[in-house]
Amino acid sequence: MISSTPTFARDIDGKAISAKVLDEVREEVLALAGQQIYPALAVLLVGDDPASHVYVRNKLLRAKEVGIRSLEYRLPETASQAQVLELIAQLNADPTVNGILVQLPLPAPIDEQAVIHAIDPIKDVDGFHRENVGGLVQGIEVLTPCTPSGCMRLLHETCGDDLSGLHAVVIGRSNIVGKPMATLLLQANCSVSVVHSRSVDAPALCRLADIVVAAVGRPALIDASWLKPGAVVIDVGINRITSEFGNRLVGDVDYASARTVASAITPVPGGVGPMTIAYLLKNTLIASRLQRAAQARGQQPEDDLALN
């Protein structure tokens, strides 16, 4: 007898997988402590954006939980770009600081790109510096943006270590998620398509995909009609909407619709979000290791651009 019970996609539990990553970080921090090495992350917050305060608090809390020393620097909304750059220069020069994160967005008229590119690339745990972006494309070991790195871990946990030959579609081409995500998927030997606002018949392109990564910032844009049966869906979107049920967070994927076709899907919240912080802390450890390797070769970290 054929069951009439509908089959739904299984949830990809970002909370559980991020906990595994944090356990890995905690174990490495303990091992480093035995060698008298204590990785440290500096977080700079400028202004009084409420969401930024929440994000910074969560990052510092997770850092404390895994044993990474955290340093918080706060500047007022009225801080000048020169003041921000001066503080970054001090942190760049401090050998006890391994990672530097500037919480975005920054108040106007501070130039975010100027601030990002002032961070020493080997301390840029966000992975946004142009040298890290270029190194990622070239396949050099560099600090990689946290959200795409976390998405790759979700995919490996769901699909296995070998993604070779799978067709992946990335929806969105931002510098923070879309472009580095496509690069990481290429490095994993996927065939990759990037769908964006100028793509012709985006749903048809997505229906070819074994893996769909949605990072476009439009609530519930992707529904079942966009998906190949059995596709694995990674929803990076976080959109706050108001409905008859009040304010709530939704992704770029229509979860209720997509899960009737997909084989696995990340919920929002509880999917990609926890992975971003976990990989920020993992990047802090990677930064510490790369800096020690550079110092062992008798080089200044900022001059060591070919890290492997």
Side-chain angles (χ1 to χ4, degrees), residues 25-305:
V25 171
R26 187 179 296 107
E27 289 178 6
E28 188 171 347
V29 169
L30 285 172
L32 290 173
Q35 305 171 46
Q36 305 298 305
I37 298 170
Y38 305 100
L41 170 67
V43 180
L44 171 57
L45 176 62
V46 184
D48 298 311
D49 180 74
S52 292
H53 278 271
V54 172
Y55 295 146
V56 166
R57 183 169 64 247
N58 289 337
K59 291 168 183 176
L60 296 175
L61 179 61
R62 296 288 91 78
K64 182 178 180 181
E65 288 175 355
V66 299
I68 289 178
R69 187 167 62 94
S70 59
L71 308 166
E72 183 180 7
Y73 297 87
R74 295 192 180 191
L75 293 176
E77 187 87 14
T78 55
S80 68
Q81 181 166 312
Q83 288 175 299
V84 175
L85 294 177
E86 180 181 1
L87 177 53
I88 290 173
Q90 293 172 5
L91 296 173
N92 282 340
D94 187 342
T96 69
V97 172
N98 303 110
I100 301 171
L101 181 147
V102 177
Q103 183 64 47
L104 303 178
L106 291 170
I110 296 176
D111 182 344
E112 288 188 355
Q113 290 302 306
V115 170
I116 288 169
H117 298 307
I119 299 171
D120 185 338
I122 210 169
K123 295 188 177 186
D124 166 38
V125 287
D126 263 335
F128 295 162
H129 193 285
R130 61 174 67 92
E131 290 179 8
N132 286 328
V133 174
L136 174 62
V137 173
Q138 293 176 336
I140 298 171
E141 184 182 14
V142 291
L143 295 167
T144 302
C146 306
T147 298
S149 296
C151 290
M152 290 302 299
R153 178 63 176 266
L154 293 175
L155 287 171
H156 285 302
E157 293 277 346
T158 304
C159 305
D161 292 337
D162 188 4
L163 305 180
S164 298
L166 296 179
H167 181 201
V169 168
V170 179
I171 307 173
R173 53 179 170 175
S174 71
N175 291 332
I176 294 174
V177 179
K179 291 175 183 176
M181 188 76 230
T183 302
L184 289 171
L185 287 163
L186 282 172
Q187 290 179 359
N189 299 314
C190 292
S191 298
V192 182
S193 302
V194 178
V195 169
H196 48 80
S197 60
R198 301 297 178 90
S199 296
V200 176
D201 201 351
L205 294 172
C206 286
R207 282 192 294 271
L208 301 173
D210 304 299
I211 295 168
V212 174
V213 181
V216 71
R218 293 182 58 184
L221 172 68
I222 296 96
D223 62 17
S225 69
W226 289 56
L227 301 177
K228 172 183 176 180
V232 173
V233 179
I234 305 294
D235 189 354
V236 183
I238 301 178
N239 309 283
R240 188 174 297 278
I241 65 169
T242 302
S243 69
E244 57 185 311
F245 305 106
N247 293 329
R248 60 192 181 99
L249 291 178
V250 300
D252 292 344
V253 177
D254 184 339
Y255 174 81
S257 172
R259 69 193 295 256
T260 65
V261 176
S263 64
I265 186 171
T266 55
V268 176
V272 172
M275 299 298 294
T276 298
I277 294 180
Y279 270 82
L280 167 67
L281 301 177
K282 201 168 185 70
N283 269 359
T284 303
L285 290 185
I286 293 171
S288 174
R289 174 171 56 79
L290 294 176
Q291 289 157 32
R292 294 196 306 275
Q295 290 162 4
R297 292 193 293 271
Q299 299 170 316
Q300 292 298 318
E302 60 266 29
D303 295 331
D304 185 48
L305 304 182

